[in-house]
Amino acid sequence: MLLLQRLFRKKEADPRDTLRPLYAQIIATARQPHWFVEGKVADTIEGRFEMVATILALVLLRLEKDAEQAGSTALLTEVFVEDMDPQLREVGIGDMIVGKHIGRLVSALGGRLGAYRDALAAPDRAAAFEAALVRNLYAGVGPGAAALAHVRDTALAFADRLASMEAETILSSGIAG
């Protein structure tokens, strides 16, 4: 009887499903051409990852300001991990070490969260954020003043827009617009 119950019971909804549209918007925001053209972010696997990590970090930082959203930030991070797994496999990372690479990506995201959190809270947030971008997004090599200013100003405007939104709005309607 238990076998029949397991076979015919309704499958519980994956709580991450409600966050997939938001994650898709994060990816779409991170892939906008201006980051790579005007901002001179490297249009490589690493550069695209860094851009996704930057936008995701800004969204997570906004959501973490609401203590009741801790579960949502954890689930959104899980959606990120779920997305990275097939990406790694696609570029040739084998089953035996994909977990190790996922760990490195999550660690990198954690590093970005810390760097951008500190920068956004700094007295001169523009300069601090710019320094964090050079260290993380540009791997220590500045892209030039105009490109760096473009990314800094656009990312800070994005962070400010997120700050003006209710967490529930971000989670339900997303960040597009």
Side-chain angles (χ1 to χ4, degrees):
M1 188 65 154
L2 286 175
L3 175 63
L4 290 175
Q5 288 176 338
R6 282 197 313 238
L7 286 173
F8 294 108
R9 75 174 179 219
K10 289 184 180 179
K11 185 178 179 183
E12 293 182 32
D14 185 341
R16 296 173 295 188
D17 286 346
T18 60
L19 295 169
R20 292 184 205 293
L22 172 59
Y23 185 74
Q25 291 176 358
I26 290 167
I27 297 298
T29 300
R31 289 186 176 165
Q32 291 176 351
H34 70 88
W35 300 115
F36 305 96
V37 178
E38 290 89 28
K40 297 191 187 325
V41 173
D43 194 7
T44 62
I45 291 171
E46 293 82 9
R48 290 188 294 269
F49 168 79
E50 288 297 344
M51 204 58 243
V52 168
T54 297
I55 298 301
L56 177 59
L58 292 174
V59 171
L60 290 171
L61 289 171
R62 166 55 191 93
L63 293 175
E64 80 176 11
K65 291 188 182 299
D66 288 343
E68 56 198 47
Q69 297 305 330
S72 296
T73 59
L75 290 172
L76 189 56
T77 303
E78 288 180 18
V79 173
F80 164 75
V81 168
E82 182 181 77
D83 179 44
M84 291 297 112
D85 184 276
Q87 304 294 332
L88 288 170
R89 293 174 195 278
E90 189 174 303
V91 298
I93 305 296
D95 290 341
M96 298 292 280
I97 58 171
V98 77
K100 186 181 218 178
H101 284 276
I102 291 288
R104 287 182 188 149
L105 296 178
V106 171
S107 178
L109 176 62
R112 290 357 168 231
L113 283 165
Y116 298 146
R117 180 185 298 112
D118 292 348
L120 292 172
D124 185 357
R125 82 176 190 150
F129 194 72
E130 191 172 282
L133 288 171
V134 170
R135 274 191 321 276
N136 296 291
L137 185 61
Y138 295 106
V141 180
L148 186 55
H150 172 78
V151 172
R152 178 201 63 218
D153 294 346
T154 307
L156 287 175
F158 178 72
D160 290 343
R161 188 165 63 84
L162 291 171
S164 72
M165 298 172 72
E166 295 292 326
E168 290 299 327
T169 301
I170 294 168
L171 293 169
S172 64
S173 303
I175 57 172

